[in-house]
Amino acid sequence: MTRLPPGDPARIGGTRTQRSFALRRRTTAGQAAALERLLPSYAVVVDGRPLDQEAVWGRRAPLLVEVGAGTGEATVGLAAADPDRDVLAIDVHLPGLGALLAAVERAGLTNVRVADGDARVVLRDLLAPDSLAGVRVFFPDPWPKTRHAK
C-alpha cells in the first residue's frame, strides 16, 4: 500500500510534542484499495516545506482547510457545492482518509487534497499566513478513550 513518508505526525520542528489524537491505522479492503490507488494523486506531503498551491491543484483558488475530516462526508459536500475553491482535508485517521478518497473519486471532484498529519504542523509549516479563505473544524474529539488503547 502507498503510504506517505514515515514520521510521527506529532513531531513539530524535529521535537516530539504532546499529541492530541490516537493513531488508528487499520483499514478495510475498500479503504486500503482507495488509499493505494488515489493517495499518490491526492496527498499533500507533510514535510515542513511550504505548500505550493498551484503545483498541487494546478490553479490558484481560495483555499479552505478542514481539520479532522473523518470519513469526508462534510468535505465532499463542501467541495462539490463550491468547485471554485480548493479544499485541503487534514486527518491522522488513515481509514477515514481512505473513505474520503473513495468518496472524492465517486463524486468526480478535482478540488480536494488530503494531508495525513497533525493539523498544527500543516497550519504552521505548510500554509502561508494569509493563504486561507477559511478553516473548518467539526466536532473535535481530542481526548483519549479506553477503546483507543487497544
Side-chain angles (χ1 to χ4, degrees):
M1 176 166 72
T2 303
R3 296 245 178 188
L4 295 177
D8 185 342
R11 207 169 275 286
I12 297 179
T15 307
R16 182 149 170 69
T17 62
Q18 179 63 36
R19 206 164 43 189
S20 63
F21 52 85
L23 289 176
R24 293 182 298 172
R25 300 289 184 171
R26 281 186 255 157
T27 57
T28 65
Q31 293 164 342
L35 289 165
E36 179 73 32
R37 189 175 65 258
L38 302 171
L39 200 56
S41 300
Y42 288 91
V44 170
V45 179
V46 181
D47 61 1
R49 290 184 293 161
L51 177 69
D52 181 353
Q53 189 177 351
E54 252 178 87
V56 171
W57 278 273
R59 66 181 185 171
R60 197 94 164 117
L63 178 61
L64 296 173
V65 170
E66 184 175 359
V67 177
T71 58
E73 189 176 318
T75 307
V76 169
L78 171 70
D82 198 353
D84 293 330
R85 291 182 185 243
D86 292 333
V87 179
L88 177 60
I90 307 167
D91 209 310
V92 296
H93 183 199
L94 202 57
L97 290 178
L100 166 60
L101 289 172
V104 165
E105 182 181 50
R106 279 192 305 276
L109 299 174
T110 59
N111 60 331
V112 177
R113 298 295 182 273
V114 299
D116 174 20
D118 191 327
R120 297 175 301 167
V121 176
V122 174
L123 292 170
R124 190 197 70 209
D125 295 344
L126 271 66
L127 303 172
D130 294 329
S131 66
L132 297 180
V135 176
R136 293 181 176 221
V137 181
F138 295 115
F139 310 108
D141 190 13
W143 297 276
K145 295 175 182 49
T146 303
R147 68 176 184 248
H148 294 157
K150 293 179 185 174

